[in-house]
Amino acid sequence: MKSLLVKNISQARRRVRSQNFRTMGNSIYQPEFSYSQIFLSWMGSFLGIATLAYLSVHTQYPLIAAPFGAAAVLAFAVPDSPLAQPRNLIGGNLIGAIVCITLVYAFGTAPWVMALAVATAIKLMQLTKTLHPPGGAVALVGVMSEASWDFLLTPVLTGSIVILLCTIAFNNLVPGRLYPKHWL
């Protein structure tokens, strides 16, 4: 009887550990970064976003938009990612902008248009091999702000180019960090 009780308790503990493993996640699925990589990601993203912000203030042109925060995560924290390469950064953001502007002109800014813009941007980025998660955010922000064709040039294209140039300059100044891995 005691043996059966010990066996049941042991099985229960394994089930709890197994369930905790699945629900709490496992660090083997998460990327690991050295302290120097973390510092470089912090410094690069700070400089890239600060450059956009100061250019926006001093030129009176809106060169910064929320999706550039996500673009900075990709470009500075995981610059080797296919989603962070120039083709994706520029192309994905431009597709998101073109899609949202077109849909705003055609259908307005209803909630379903927001969903359609993001879904369509994702589909087109996948088809053109320019998948860039911030491009979906560009599509959403564009619909939410009733974007016009000016949105395509500023902030989307100009801001994307500034982030790209900052990423190239920063990553290539750091030994062992070469960016981009490919242009097209």
Side-chain angles (χ1 to χ4, degrees):
M1 177 88 164
K2 186 176 179 181
S3 168
L4 183 59
L5 181 61
V6 170
K7 183 178 176 183
N8 285 341
I9 290 172
S10 177
Q11 287 174 342
R13 283 183 181 160
R14 274 186 292 217
R15 280 195 303 269
V16 167
R17 271 191 243 128
S18 175
Q19 186 63 30
N20 283 342
F21 181 79
R22 287 193 302 259
T23 60
M24 302 307 276
N26 184 345
S27 64
I28 65 169
Y29 296 111
Q30 298 301 318
E32 289 191 28
F33 300 99
S34 69
Y35 288 118
S36 65
Q37 288 173 309
I38 292 168
F39 176 74
L40 292 172
S41 300
W42 178 84
M43 181 60 75
S45 60
F46 175 84
L47 293 172
I49 296 298
T51 300
L52 278 176
Y54 279 107
L55 283 173
S56 293
V57 168
H58 291 299
T59 63
Q60 301 297 313
Y61 285 103
L63 300 176
I64 195 162
F68 293 134
V73 171
L74 288 170
F76 294 105
V78 285
D80 294 342
S81 168
L83 306 179
Q85 300 309 304
R87 171 191 178 105
N88 301 72
L89 191 133
I90 303 289
N93 286 339
L94 285 178
I95 286 172
I98 291 167
V99 166
C100 76
I101 294 164
T102 303
L103 293 177
V104 164
Y105 274 100
F107 305 112
T109 59
W112 67 269
V113 178
M114 294 176 197
L116 182 62
V118 172
T120 304
I122 291 169
K123 178 180 181 175
L124 292 174
M125 286 186 284
Q126 287 174 318
L127 288 171
T128 59
K129 296 181 177 21
T130 58
L131 189 62
H132 185 63
V138 166
L140 180 60
V141 167
V143 174
M144 291 171 59
S145 63
E146 298 182 53
S148 66
W149 287 105
D150 292 341
F151 181 71
L152 184 63
L153 181 59
T154 56
V156 176
L157 179 60
T158 307
S160 297
I161 290 170
V162 169
I163 284 287
L164 176 63
L165 293 174
C166 288
T167 304
I168 291 168
F170 182 80
N171 282 316
N172 291 323
L173 288 176
V174 176
R177 282 180 76 130
L178 296 175
Y179 179 87
K181 293 297 177 192
H182 57 83
W183 282 94
L184 301 172

